[in-house]
């Protein structure tokens, strides 16, 4: 495991050879939701030796419809993410959308996440790198794994070597995504841990309703394949009641299904690590 990840997870009891998990509800809806998810997921991860990062977006800036929920307010949401991390002694992450947000968000969270649509924005990547925080860049749906070396280079130009790259599927037609698992080893060649964004890779964008669809029944399939191909970490958005979620409910995993999936993935990781 990279030194910066060891430092990140220093306060947790975990198996260093395990994959790490980034998980939480898509967006900050209220304090109760964050606390419920963090409480349950942190307990499961502790029992399974999985290093865990709590995730929830403080704002959703890339919604299809103008009527979509975007957030409860930036400062309020960021403060709730920080409060959740402090209560459960977890590192935290959220996405940023513009260069001026980097320094603000860095006061509250441990990992700055760059959305896939913005992975080529030089000023955003430079600003994120300059905070000194870990920067997790999601691969654009329009890019190959090898081309992500340029995103990593932009961050490293600031003197920040703490880079994570995330695979989240590739656009296939107008309303679907496919996962090319070659991107996992290809992006690892850029000397960065690679995460598989399981839930977003199952989105079905560009629906005429203005609300993104999804295939959550395939979450286990995508996650197991990612572990089998050597992913360093998994990204899974989860919610107690996805049908009532205010964002991305169509592709989130129901919270009570996560523990069983994690148990399977830990066993699979043990087998894969022998080869």
């Amino acid at each position: 495991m990279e030194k910066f990840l060891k430092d990140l997870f220093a306060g947790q009891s975990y198996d260093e050879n395990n994959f790490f998990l980034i998980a939480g509800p898509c967006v900050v809806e209220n304090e109760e939701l964050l606390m419920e998810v963090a409480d349950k997921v942190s307990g499961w991860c502790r029992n399974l030796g999985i290093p865990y990062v709590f995730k929830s977006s403080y704002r959703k800036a890339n919604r299809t419809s103008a009527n979509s929920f975007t957030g409860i307010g930036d400062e309020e949401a960021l403060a709730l993410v920080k409060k959740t991390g402090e209560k459960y002694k977890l590192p935290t992450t959220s996405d940023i959308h513009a260069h001026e947000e980097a320094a603000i968000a860095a006061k509250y969270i441990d990992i700055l996440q760059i959305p896939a649509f913005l992975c080529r924005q030089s000023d955003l990547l430079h600003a994120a790198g300059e905070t000194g925080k870990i920067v997790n860049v999601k691969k654009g749906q329009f890019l190959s794994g090898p081309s992500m070396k340029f995103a990593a280079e932009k961050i490293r130009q600031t003197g920040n070597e703490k880079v994570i790259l995330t695979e989240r599927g590739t656009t296939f037609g107008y309303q679907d995504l496919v996962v090319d698992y070659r991107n996992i080893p290809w992006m690892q060649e850029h000397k960065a841990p690679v995460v598989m964004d399981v839930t977003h890779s199952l989105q079905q964008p560009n629906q005429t309703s203005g609300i993104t669809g999804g295939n959550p029944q395939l979450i286990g399939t995508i996650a197991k394949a990612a572990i089998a191909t050597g992913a360093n970490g998994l990204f899974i958005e989860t919610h107690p009641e996805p049908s009532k979620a205010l964002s991305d409910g169509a592709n989130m995993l129901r919270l009570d299904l996560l523990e069983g999936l994690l148990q399977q993935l830990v066993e699979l990781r043990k087998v894969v690590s022998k080869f």
Side-chain angles (χ1 to χ4, degrees):
M1 185 178 287
E2 297 282 344
K3 184 181 183 303
F4 69 83
L5 289 179
K6 289 182 180 179
D7 293 340
L8 182 72
F9 298 123
Q12 298 187 41
S13 176
Y14 66 92
D15 180 352
E16 187 177 308
N17 296 315
N18 218 340
F19 61 90
F20 63 91
L21 177 68
I22 302 173
C26 177
V27 66
V28 175
E29 299 178 16
N30 53 62
E31 181 175 345
E32 292 74 21
L33 172 64
L34 302 195
M35 294 297 176
E36 178 183 358
V37 173
D39 180 63
K40 291 184 177 179
V41 180
S42 63
W44 297 331
C45 287
R46 185 167 54 250
N47 292 338
L48 293 167
I50 301 171
Y52 174 42
V53 178
F54 177 79
K55 182 270 170 187
S56 194
S57 297
Y58 65 87
R59 173 160 49 90
K60 304 303 293 185
N62 57 343
R63 302 296 84 185
T64 300
S65 171
N67 298 320
S68 296
F69 177 79
T70 58
I72 62 174
D74 291 1
E75 295 281 349
E76 181 180 354
L78 279 166
L80 286 178
V81 173
K82 181 178 181 180
K83 181 178 181 180
T84 304
E86 289 176 343
K87 179 172 181 178
Y88 292 97
K89 296 180 173 55
L90 299 170
T92 57
T93 187
S94 190
D95 34 13
I96 60 173
H97 319 89
H99 68 276
E100 62 268 20
E101 295 178 28
I104 298 170
K107 299 175 183 177
Y108 295 90
I109 58 178
D110 302 289
I111 302 175
L112 301 180
Q113 180 177 287
I114 308 299
F117 285 126
L118 302 176
C119 69
R120 295 178 63 187
Q121 297 298 109
S122 298
D123 59 347
L124 177 58
L125 293 171
H126 288 153
E130 287 168 355
T131 66
K133 295 284 186 173
I134 298 170
V135 183
N136 177 20
V137 189
K138 290 194 174 183
K139 181 186 75 64
Q141 301 93 321
F142 43 85
L143 290 177
S144 68
S147 67
M148 284 296 289
K149 70 177 182 180
F150 301 110
E153 286 175 355
K154 290 177 183 178
I155 296 165
R156 288 169 175 151
Q157 284 174 352
T158 68
N160 187 343
E161 297 289 330
K162 296 179 286 188
V163 179
I164 298 172
L165 299 177
T166 293
E167 165 63 28
R168 54 96 72 233
T170 301
T171 299
F172 184 75
Y174 289 108
Q175 295 174 318
D176 209 354
L177 297 167
V178 295
V179 178
D180 181 351
Y181 287 94
R182 296 177 298 176
N183 285 326
I184 292 176
W186 278 341
M187 290 197 290
Q188 286 170 335
E189 291 178 2
H190 306 325
K191 295 180 172 53
V194 172
V195 172
M196 179 73 231
D197 183 342
V198 178
T199 45
H200 285 101
S201 67
L202 289 168
Q203 285 183 331
Q204 292 180 311
N206 302 318
Q207 301 297 311
T208 55
S209 65
I211 300 174
T212 298
N215 287 298
Q217 71 276 12
L218 295 174
I219 287 172
T221 301
I222 298 294
K224 291 170 187 175
I227 292 299
T229 47
N232 303 99
L234 297 177
F235 178 109
I236 300 175
E237 288 190 335
T238 183
H239 192 286
E241 297 182 272
S243 63
K244 297 181 180 179
L246 299 182
S247 178
D248 280 4
N251 54 268
M252 276 195 281
L253 181 66
R254 203 174 73 218
L255 182 59
D256 63 356
L257 299 177
L258 181 58
E259 182 182 19
L261 176 59
L262 292 176
Q263 290 171 342
Q264 294 176 28
L265 295 171
V266 167
E267 292 302 312
L268 179 59
R269 179 60 173 245
K270 291 176 182 177
V271 174
V272 172
S273 65
K274 296 178 181 178
F275 298 94

